[in-house]
Amino acid sequence: MKRIGIITSGGDCGGLNGVIKGAAGMAHSHGATCFVIPSGYAGLYNLVDFDKLTELTPERLDKIDANLAGSEAGHSRVKIKKIDDAEKYQRIKKGMEKFKLDGLIISGGDDSGSVLVDLTEHGIKCVHAPKTMDMDLQTYSVGADSSINRIASFIEDLKTTANTHRRILVLEVFGRYVGHTAFRGGVAADADAVIIPEIPCDFDILYKHMKERYFSRMLNSDVRTGTYMIVVAEGIKNASGADIVDENSAPDAFGHKRLAGAGDYVCQQLTKRLKADPEIKNLMKKAELFVKGISEIPEVRAVAPGHLVRCGHSSAYDVNFGKEVGAAAFILLNQGISGVTVAGISNGKIRYIETKEAIKQKFVDTHQVAIYEALGTCFGRTPEEIHTKAEKLNHAAERHW
């Protein structure tokens, strides 16, 4: 392997520039060269039309800041299989031949990984550096830690405005149909409740928890202040079991409609219960908040930070992990191994699994949820009994999330 193309694909997140620097740096140390294929799979499909590619020389690599989130290589959401071109795979191969590329290092999530499996089946040598802030692959993925840290930071920041206005605040975060980022970010910032797709929400249980905790804080405060913070994953279902989506948006190349409105839906459910609860009027009066016709129930508001959770700066963990899996991806390609996903480097060994296995969706472990229910966090259900057993390890535990 002398000439490698680097692609970043799917959604942006922290740690991707670390992948690029790790892959190109390791290639250089082996006397090989890496080139940026810009704009994800769109760039790969159009590679044959490029006049030149940017070579990641040590000098060019030095200009990339690994701490910045996003990707120097750029992204697109393109599913190669869906391109209306019978010669699309030959076109890609011709583009690689034009620039004498021996293989590809591709950093992306489950959708991007499915394309990598497709490319591998058509004889294109690829290695997958796992990337998704949703953390729903079978391996740890670049970007998750950065986004979780940003979510936790936003929750802490929003407590100031929520306390000032005595509001109940609902923070809606990315994650599609898994709740890892909502769960971990919410727990880290001491959110009162976390609503995730893996656990259907009983809004009566959530309401009871909110009512008790919110008014307890208000009535025990010498300045009558308090708030209640809820973190909700965008992929929760509504009462009929349907996705909450933006009906005005068209599906992307992978068939996903834009999820939107989960935070507003939670607000509606809680506000409806506040208005119907006969005890709220007296509780508001005890808190000296009641004003007839103006301030009769606590205000419930939704905030959606959106792309703010995946931009800005990367966490140190993601930069480290990105550099390691980028470097490992080159080593695997150089050893003739392709069609696989790097899981990490541990004890001098590069650990990898078949990409078709790596992209199978991983959900939140409800045994972990039960631990935090015991600590007082509400997950919209009756708290489950903790089922944990003590286990002595006879060897050093492998690093994992």
Side-chain angles (χ1 to χ4, degrees):
M1 289 281 169
K2 291 298 181 184
R3 294 167 67 89
I4 306 295
I6 296 181
I7 295 171
T8 55
S9 175
D12 59 303
C13 63
L16 281 166
N17 284 322
V19 174
I20 294 170
K21 296 194 82 166
M26 185 58 70
H28 179 73
S29 74
H30 282 71
T33 306
C34 281
F35 297 84
V36 167
I37 298 177
S39 305
Y41 290 128
L44 181 64
Y45 177 72
N46 290 304
L47 187 59
V48 71
D49 296 327
F50 279 58
D51 294 325
K52 64 177 181 178
L53 291 179
T54 295
E55 179 182 342
L56 291 171
T57 63
E59 294 75 24
R60 180 62 181 87
L61 210 55
D62 192 45
K63 296 178 181 178
I64 299 176
D65 186 348
N67 290 292
L68 288 180
S71 168
E72 186 88 352
H75 285 234
S76 65
R77 291 189 184 276
V78 172
K79 188 170 186 177
I80 299 294
K81 189 179 288 187
K82 284 193 171 183
I83 297 174
D84 187 14
D85 177 359
E87 299 298 319
K88 51 185 171 282
Y89 299 106
Q90 287 305 314
R91 176 182 168 89
I92 290 171
K93 290 176 182 177
K94 286 178 181 177
M96 292 182 65
E97 289 168 3
K98 177 178 179 177
F99 292 100
K100 298 180 174 59
L101 299 180
D102 301 310
L104 303 173
I105 292 172
I106 300 171
S107 190
D110 55 348
D111 289 333
S112 301
S114 70
V115 177
L116 184 145
V117 172
D118 181 34
L119 293 173
T120 300
E121 290 173 349
H122 283 85
I124 298 169
K125 296 178 180 178
C126 315
V127 171
H128 181 215
K131 178 277 326 168
T132 172
M133 59 157 283
D134 300 340
M135 207 168 73
D136 60 346
L137 302 182
Q138 293 299 315
T139 64
Y140 175 75
S141 307
V142 169
D145 186 62
S146 299
S147 293
I148 288 166
N149 275 283
R150 287 180 72 82
I151 289 168
S153 178
F154 287 139
I155 296 167
E156 288 291 343
D157 290 346
L158 286 166
K159 286 179 183 178
T160 63
T161 185
N163 265 306
T164 299
H165 290 277
R166 281 67 170 160
R167 286 181 181 131
I168 295 154
L169 215 56
V170 181
L171 185 76
E172 178 190 325
V173 299
F174 288 155
R176 295 209 68 83
Y177 302 111
V178 296
H180 295 290
T181 53
F183 172 35
R184 293 300 179 182
V187 163
D190 282 335
D192 298 296
V194 179
I195 308 303
I196 57 178
E198 290 88 342
I199 300 174
C201 181
D202 184 325
F203 282 97
D204 290 334
I205 290 175
L206 174 62
Y207 176 74
K208 183 175 183 292
H209 189 270
M210 178 203 75
K211 175 183 169 182
E212 291 175 354
R213 185 168 287 190
Y214 174 78
F215 282 106
S216 174
R217 285 174 179 156
M218 293 289 295
L219 298 176
N220 285 302
S221 167
D222 59 355
V223 290
R224 294 292 186 261
T225 188
T227 184
Y228 185 91
M229 300 293 298
I230 303 169
V231 183
V232 56
E234 63 177 349
I236 65 167
K237 308 288 186 181
N238 63 20
S240 63
D243 294 340
I244 303 171
V245 299
D246 179 359
E247 296 294 348
N248 295 317
S249 70
D252 65 17
F254 295 90
H256 305 308
K257 288 206 77 172
R258 182 172 176 267
L259 296 172
D264 288 333
Y265 182 75
V266 172
C267 288
Q268 292 164 10
Q269 293 297 314
L270 296 178
T271 299
K272 179 174 69 175
R273 286 164 173 77
L274 283 165
K275 289 179 177 178
D277 189 338
E279 295 181 355
I280 295 301
K281 180 178 179 179
N282 287 333
L283 288 169
M284 289 290 283
K285 286 182 176 180
K286 285 182 180 180
E288 287 88 33
L289 269 178
F290 184 83
V291 179
K292 187 174 177 58
I294 298 174
S295 177
E296 296 188 355
I297 64 171
E299 183 181 15
V300 188
R301 278 203 180 186
V303 176
H307 289 76
L308 288 171
V309 305
R310 66 194 325 156
C311 65
H313 288 269
S314 306
S315 71
Y317 185 90
D318 274 340
V319 174
N320 277 262
F321 186 80
K323 288 184 176 182
E324 288 179 17
V325 295
F330 171 78
I331 293 171
L332 291 177
L333 267 182
N334 204 40
Q335 292 179 357
I337 300 170
S338 63
V340 300
T341 298
V342 181
I345 303 176
S346 180
N347 297 321
K349 296 178 181 178
I350 295 175
R351 305 188 183 278
Y352 64 90
I353 59 177
E354 296 291 325
T355 298
K356 64 178 65 176
E357 296 299 317
I359 61 177
K360 291 180 178 177
Q361 200 162 48
K362 179 178 67 178
F363 296 97
V364 171
D365 180 358
T366 54
H367 294 307
Q368 294 290 107
V369 169
I371 293 171
Y372 294 101
E373 286 177 324
L375 299 178
T377 306
C378 178
F379 286 84
R381 69 176 184 183
T382 302
E384 289 195 354
E385 182 180 348
I386 300 175
H387 297 286
T388 56
K389 295 180 180 180
E391 179 183 3
K392 181 181 178 181
L393 294 176
N394 296 317
H395 55 81
E398 293 180 13
R399 186 182 68 182
H400 66 285
W401 175 259

